[in-house]
Amino acid sequence: MKQHPNLNRIFEVEIGRPGSIGAMTATSLSLPATPFALAAALEKARITDPTTPCQMELSNSKSSFWEQIIPQDANIYELNHFVHRLDALTEHERNCFEGLVWMEADRNGTPIPLERLINFTHSLENCQIAYEAHNDKSLGKFYVDNDMADIPDNLPEAVYELLDYEAIGRKSRIVEGGVFTERGYVVLSGEISQVYKSGDAVPLEKPSHTIMLEVCK
């Protein structure tokens, strides 16, 4: 079983203008960021067109995992929207999301388009996790114990000791397209939602101001 890193991370990116001038205007930004913080960082980096991919590097994601998954030409607005979505997930939803990511990575390789990653966060109700299952044998045992395996009903108790649980689990995993993570076995029982479309998070107009004054006692 592959050991995958925890996906619950806070991002820090360094953004700048494409080309040689980018090194002189580069600035750091922690994600998820407020619209004001994002607009201020882009102004500091001298990036005026929100639709143009900026020069961006994950400078502190605490895991090389995200550098493999996030496209290098990702739009900063879409990346920020994605991290906001990720930050709002419950622990169970994050476990489901992790499984979806590794299903996609195993199937198509990396990186994964941000549009699809964002739509993963809208599809978590279609995921199930068997927290007890971490390999084919334990998955087969889980399916048999919960009457989910394709075997005859009412078998004598002695027969269960002779069952090949590993083969049962392996067949189920291959048919379902599920994946093992550090949390357990994750399977998708429906379709990936198409709620988000590329560009939806990019503002149509430049904000009228980039400074917010917050006053409190």
Side-chain angles (χ1 to χ4, degrees), residues 86-135:
L86 197 64
D87 189 53
L89 300 181
T90 65
E91 182 178 357
H92 174 75
E93 289 172 335
R94 286 175 181 149
N95 295 337
C96 291
F97 176 84
E98 180 178 349
L100 291 181
V101 167
W102 288 112
M103 286 179 205
E104 186 81 1
D106 289 346
R107 189 177 301 118
N108 299 319
T110 55
I112 301 173
L114 268 180
E115 176 183 3
R116 189 156 177 82
L117 287 173
I118 293 170
N119 278 322
F120 282 173
T121 68
H122 290 284
S123 308
L124 302 178
E125 62 182 15
N126 297 329
C127 282
Q128 284 80 42
I129 301 180
Y131 288 101
E132 303 91 332
H134 295 276
N135 51 44

Side-chain angles (χ1 to χ4, degrees), residues 7-105:
L7 304 191
N8 183 17
R9 300 299 186 194
I10 299 299
F11 287 71
E12 186 170 314
V13 296
E14 186 173 280
I15 58 176
R17 288 181 59 180
S20 58
I21 195 174
M24 296 183 291
T25 65
T27 184
S28 295
L29 177 66
S30 294
L31 302 180
T34 66
F36 299 99
L38 181 54
L42 290 174
E43 182 173 337
K44 185 176 181 180
R46 301 181 187 176
I47 298 172
T48 57
D49 186 355
T51 63
T52 303
C54 59
Q55 184 174 315
M56 182 168 57
E57 180 180 351
L58 296 178
S59 56
N60 184 23
S61 63
K62 300 181 182 179
S63 172
S64 60
F65 163 79
W66 288 114
E67 297 176 6
Q68 303 169 33
I69 297 298
I70 301 295
Q72 293 184 352
D73 61 348
N75 180 280
I76 185 63
Y77 288 98
E78 289 194 321
L79 180 58
N80 189 47
H81 177 68
F82 166 62
V83 180
H84 270 290
R85 293 281 310 170
L86 197 64
D87 189 53
L89 300 181
T90 65
E91 182 178 357
H92 174 75
E93 289 172 335
R94 286 175 181 149
N95 295 337
C96 291
F97 176 84
E98 180 178 349
L100 291 181
V101 167
W102 288 112
M103 286 179 205
E104 186 81 1

Side-chain angles (χ1 to χ4, degrees), residues 123 126 188-194:
S123 308
N126 297 329
L188 180 66
S189 60
E191 299 293 330
I192 299 299
S193 300
Q194 302 300 316

